[in-house]
Amino acid sequence: MHTTRMLGAALLTLGLAAAPAVADSTPSPSGDSSAPTEAGTSFRTATEVDQGRTATANASAGDYLYWSFPADAGQRPTVKATVKLPDTHAAETWQIDVHDGLRRRQACQYGPQTRTAAANTSSVELACTLRPVRAWSEPWANDPLPGTYYIRLTAVGLPTSDLGLPVSTEVRVDGKDIGGSAAVDGSLAEPLVPGAAARPEEDSSASAVLSSIEPEDGWASGWWSDRWVWTAVGGVLAALAGVGGYALTRGSGRPPRA
């Protein structure tokens, strides 16, 4: 009976430990007044947007629009964009690209990254879900790493008649925490947050940085994942199994009668 109680307590601990592993990041209200209302025109002028917020911008067809956001190890970011088109226009193809802090284009795991809006269509929706962000990777690999990510939204193959037409855009970034399934042994010394220049000689305490945003809880740098919890729980279950096996096989402990 004592062994059964111990096993039950261990299973309860296992369930409590596993619960946070599948939780998504909580988004901010879409009507947040602090969300940006403009977009940059290059990597250097990309508008910063936090995960869980919707950024808006008015532009002209043919412009290149840029935003940036932070992504940490263990997250799987999803970028969604909506382009509202004028009442009259020709067929247009829009595309959304995501680059990491080294300006390497990251492949979309799934989502309609490129779409063609038929003539006079009111809007077009795009999406790109990246691969899970890893805490560390080989130098030759193109894996997503912690740091700043850039969103580029533009029309490709735009007809000449549609150049300069007014459009309005909405961009939203959401990150899902996938837990220890993406954990690796190793971490970066610093997240990939691009700097605009080296530290000035006259002020060694200041450094110019292109992106100042970071996750709400700071950069994890890969030191923690729920894999630690599963390892600890596995050790406890193994110990309880050993105690239970010993209790079942030790016998009554009395010497045999003559």
Side-chain angles (χ1 to χ4, degrees):
M1 180 66 68
H2 182 64
T3 302
T4 303
R5 291 179 179 176
M6 289 191 296
L7 290 175
L11 291 176
L12 178 60
T13 304
L14 177 63
L16 293 176
V22 295
D24 293 353
S25 58
T26 304
S28 302
S30 57
D32 192 348
S33 59
S34 62
T37 57
E38 59 182 12
T41 56
S42 67
F43 287 103
R44 296 179 63 86
T45 61
T47 299
E48 298 175 352
V49 57
D50 291 320
Q51 291 191 21
R53 291 183 177 177
T54 301
T56 59
N58 294 323
S60 300
D63 291 345
Y64 285 83
L65 308 179
Y66 288 81
W67 295 266
S68 64
F69 67 93
D72 206 357
Q75 290 185 333
R76 187 173 60 192
T78 296
V79 179
K80 295 182 179 180
T82 301
V83 182
K84 297 180 180 179
L85 305 172
D87 295 335
T88 304
H89 64 84
E92 299 179 1
T93 300
W94 286 80
Q95 180 171 307
I96 187 170
D97 296 304
V98 182
H99 297 74
D100 64 10
L102 299 178
R103 300 188 185 179
R104 303 177 302 179
R105 182 177 178 275
Q106 293 294 323
C108 299
Q109 192 173 26
Y110 52 86
Q113 181 183 6
T114 303
R115 269 188 171 175
T116 300
N120 302 330
T121 302
S122 61
S123 64
V124 59
E125 296 183 356
L126 308 168
C128 175
T129 298
L130 299 178
R131 295 170 295 166
V133 178
R134 298 164 59 91
W136 181 86
S137 178
E138 295 288 349
W140 46 262
N142 195 36
D143 296 320
L145 295 170
T148 302
Y149 283 77
Y150 296 94
I151 305 169
R152 181 174 66 189
L153 176 65
T154 188
V156 294
L158 189 68
T160 305
S161 59
D162 285 0
L163 283 173
L165 290 180
V167 296
S168 60
T169 62
E170 293 182 359
V171 171
R172 182 180 178 87
V173 182
D174 291 300
K176 180 178 181 180
D177 186 1
I178 62 174
S181 60
V184 295
D185 295 328
S187 63
L188 298 180
E190 296 289 342
L192 299 179
V193 179
R199 292 189 176 185
E201 296 180 358
E202 63 274 12
D203 184 7
S204 59
S205 63
S207 59
V209 178
L210 283 180
S211 179
S212 60
I213 54 176
E214 63 178 32
E216 293 182 358
D217 299 330
W219 297 105
S221 298
W223 73 273
W224 167 258
S225 73
D226 60 357
R227 188 171 62 171
W228 291 85
V229 177
W230 287 100
T231 301
V233 172
V236 172
L237 291 178
L240 293 178
V243 173
Y246 174 76
L248 294 174
T249 59
R250 67 177 179 174
S252 60
R254 297 179 181 179
R257 295 184 179 180

